[in-house]
Amino acid sequence: MTTISAFAATAALVGEPARAGMLAALMDGRALTASELAAVAGVTAATASGHLAQLTQAGMLAVEKQGRHRYHRLASPQVAAMLESLMAVAGGLENGAATRRPRVGPRDAALRRARTCYDHLAGEIAVGIADSLVASGRLDLSDDGAALTPDGFAFLRGIGMTLDPPTGPARGRIFCRPCLDWSERRPHIAGAVGAALCRWCLDGGWVRRMAGTRALEVTPKGVQELSRHFGREL
Amino acid sequence: MTTISAFAATAALVGEPARAGMLAALMDGRALTASELAAVAGVTAATASGHLAQLTQAGMLAVEKQGRHRYHRLASPQVAAMLESLMAVAGGLENGAATRRPRVGPRDAALRRARTCYDHLAGEIAVGIADSLVASGRLDLSDDGAALTPDGFAFLRGIGMTLDPPTGPARGRIFCRPCLDWSERRPHIAGAVGAALCRWCLDGGWVRRMAGTRALEVTPKGVQELSRHFGREL
DNA sequence: TGGATGCTACGGCCGCGCCCGAAGCATTCC
DNA sequence: GGAATGCTTCGGGCGCGGCCGTAGCATCCA
């Protein structure tokens, strides 16, 4: 059956350390040049070029040429979601029974604290925000789905977030997607609401991207603002 | 970074034709013996045994030994969701711009019509049911999430489906998960509601599993019942 | 108790695909 | 114009990992 070979080919494309490294690096949602990706993957430009061609041809990456640079980014949220679910399964194993304690370097600590996950937030911070919204009746959350209550919608708008009103048949609610946090093993908020939340944090200067990693740094102002809106346990 | 290598290893495990074939076969949610899996993958028992050991060790499969047989099944809905998202991405490419028409064998036609997708229904039938529920205001559906309305909950119970009442903070609604149908390229219903729907169809005898494939056959009685409840375009 | 059958462990073969260096094209800067 | 930078294509080397046959261990059926 032809569909199975496409299935295997897709997974194989991701299951190669160099390519996996590139894809993981692109999971922060930004576009990177071929040379930057070569560096993160630890291969030469020649090798990276081949890998990037394959990923692009397979429709996982989109390329934009700008001068003598070529910027590569994930082709769609769908691809990001696929990578995310792979990470969740991979993370599950690692924390599983038989395996040894995960490495705990300083960089890993920052990653567990706060990071981007494609277009939304992840890590302790993100899980904490979701918990706070659930506790105050502003978010409904289950394994299968999540939605802002009308209350939650008003609240997030009130603190300055840009959110489109709910459209279509889902009147009164605005759906978002739960995303299993691979370090916390509990869901945080993804989808349109998650993306808006992330933009709000970055635009307001509550968090800042750290160089060379997906980790985020929470600014002093951010600590203040976030604990004001979402409770002090952040 | 250690988490990247786990990520790549997980994908690599899936990205090998024989293992991919086994996993795809298990996507119908049932448990199969090692020999059956060897057959579907087209390898000898010895080879299959090695693959199955790897998948089990990685936590993707759960094994249950019964007499001299060993039954293998997907370890969790999370693993199924991961495979599903890979299929969605793989399917997207295949229907993509540059590629040639997908193979249209008789078996593929049956698969497109109706099949199981882990624990729920997929194919034209499943997409049609979802459309019908949305049109009658019984289901809210978006890219980010889905939920039965109170109306929809009552309706499905009314036609004999077994559904747990909504729990937790999501009062009045019961979440389900949208799942992108790889043949129709539109969402159908997954999650707890999808599983209940699938059980209802099987238990009532509206659909029947076909031997050696994930395809489902709609019985004459099923045609009648389904079009009565969900409209004649099914 | 002997002989099926289902599955697993071991050894050796072989091929796919990753990797790099070098050379070639495009673009930008001086 | 020439030189530097970013990226791609080509050819050849080599190692990892899948495959099978055989042998060995469990389990079930006479």
Side-chain angles (χ1 to χ4, degrees):
Chain A
M1 181 160 322
T2 155
T3 76
I4 283 195
S5 71
F7 170 52
T10 305
L13 228 38
V14 182
E16 198 279 328
R19 285 191 296 259
M22 297 179 178
L23 291 169
L26 292 170
M27 274 295 281
D28 69 357
R30 285 184 295 186
L32 300 179
T33 66
S35 345
E36 287 170 323
L37 288 167
V40 306
V43 294
T44 64
T47 304
S49 177
H51 286 314
L52 291 170
Q54 290 181 73
L55 290 170
T56 305
Q57 157 112 21
M60 289 192 213
L61 297 186
V63 192
E64 198 170 335
K65 86 184 279 192
Q66 201 168 106
R68 56 181 165 182
H69 296 279
R70 292 181 97 94
Y71 284 90
H72 300 258
R73 57 178 175 79
L74 298 187
S76 70
Q78 203 178 122
V79 173
M82 180 266 283
L83 298 174
E84 215 167 67
S85 69
L86 266 165
M87 283 183 174
V89 170
L93 322 188
E94 185 169 342
N95 298 0
T99 344
R100 119 175 350 81
R101 189 109 315 176
R103 300 282 306 110
V104 184
R107 162 180 296 174
D108 283 345
L111 270 180
R112 271 196 305 281
R113 181 73 184 142
R115 64 182 180 277
T116 50
C117 177
Y118 190 51
D119 58 0
H120 58 272
L121 301 176
E124 286 169 22
I125 295 278
V127 171
I129 290 176
D131 284 347
S132 157
L133 288 172
V134 168
S136 53
R138 292 170 176 142
L139 179 71
D140 289 337
L141 188 61
S142 82
D143 283 347
D144 282 342
L148 282 181
T149 62
D151 237 32
F153 183 63
F155 171 75
L156 292 183
R157 282 211 153 170
I159 65 174
M161 213 171 288
T162 309
L163 274 178
D164 293 332
T167 59
R171 291 175 305 280
R173 297 237 180 172
I174 183 167
F175 281 125
C176 42
R177 192 167 59 81
C179 170
L180 189 60
D181 195 294
W182 59 254
S183 56
E184 298 290 304
R185 314 299 307 157
R186 295 178 45 226
H188 57 242
I189 307 174
V193 176
L197 190 66
C198 183
R199 271 197 310 276
W200 176 76
C201 285
L202 286 168
D203 292 349
W206 318 143
V207 304
R208 210 182 0 238
R209 293 184 189 275
M210 295 172 71
T213 163
R214 280 167 56 205
L216 294 171
E217 174 192 15
V218 182
T219 63
K221 203 167 45 169
V223 173
Q224 201 177 335
E225 282 296 303
L226 290 175
S227 53
R228 186 156 71 87
H229 296 311
F230 301 107
R232 66 165 43 94
E233 73 282 357
L234 290 182
Chain B
M1 181 157 325
T2 155
T3 75
I4 284 193
S5 70
F7 170 53
T10 304
L13 229 38
V14 182
E16 198 280 327
R19 285 191 296 258
M22 296 179 181
L23 291 169
L26 291 170
M27 274 294 282
D28 69 357
R30 285 183 295 185
L32 300 178
T33 66
S35 346
E36 288 170 323
L37 288 167
V40 306
V43 295
T44 64
T47 304
S49 178
H51 286 315
L52 290 170
Q54 289 181 72
L55 291 169
T56 304
Q57 157 111 22
M60 289 194 213
L61 297 187
V63 192
E64 199 171 335
K65 86 184 280 193
Q66 205 168 103
R68 56 183 166 181
H69 296 280
R70 293 180 96 94
Y71 283 91
H72 300 259
R73 58 177 175 77
L74 298 187
S76 70
Q78 205 178 120
V79 173
M82 181 267 282
L83 298 174
E84 214 167 66
S85 69
L86 266 165
M87 282 184 175
V89 170
L93 322 187
E94 185 168 342
N95 299 359
T99 344
R100 114 177 354 81
R101 188 112 315 176
R103 301 281 308 108
V104 184
R107 163 181 295 173
D108 282 348
L111 269 180
R112 270 197 306 282
R113 179 75 185 141
R115 62 181 181 278
T116 50
C117 177
Y118 191 49
D119 58 0
H120 57 273
L121 300 176
E124 287 170 20
I125 294 278
V127 170
I129 290 176
D131 284 348
S132 157
L133 289 172
V134 167
S136 52
R138 293 172 176 140
L139 178 72
D140 289 336
L141 187 63
S142 82
D143 284 346
D144 282 341
L148 281 182
T149 61
D151 236 32
F153 182 64
F155 171 74
L156 293 183
R157 282 212 153 169
I159 65 176
M161 212 171 290
T162 308
L163 275 177
D164 293 331
T167 60
R171 291 174 306 279
R173 296 236 181 174
I174 183 167
F175 281 125
C176 45
R177 192 167 61 80
C179 170
L180 188 60
D181 195 293
W182 59 253
S183 57
E184 297 290 304
R185 314 299 306 157
R186 295 177 47 224
H188 58 241
I189 307 174
V193 176
L197 190 65
C198 183
R199 272 196 310 276
W200 176 75
C201 285
L202 285 169
D203 293 348
W206 319 141
V207 304
R208 206 176 9 232
R209 294 185 188 275
M210 294 173 71
T213 163
R214 280 167 55 206
L216 294 171
E217 174 191 16
V218 183
T219 64
K221 201 167 49 170
V223 172
Q224 200 177 335
E225 282 297 302
L226 290 174
S227 54
R228 186 156 71 86
H229 296 312
F230 301 107
R232 65 164 45 92
E233 72 280 356
L234 290 182

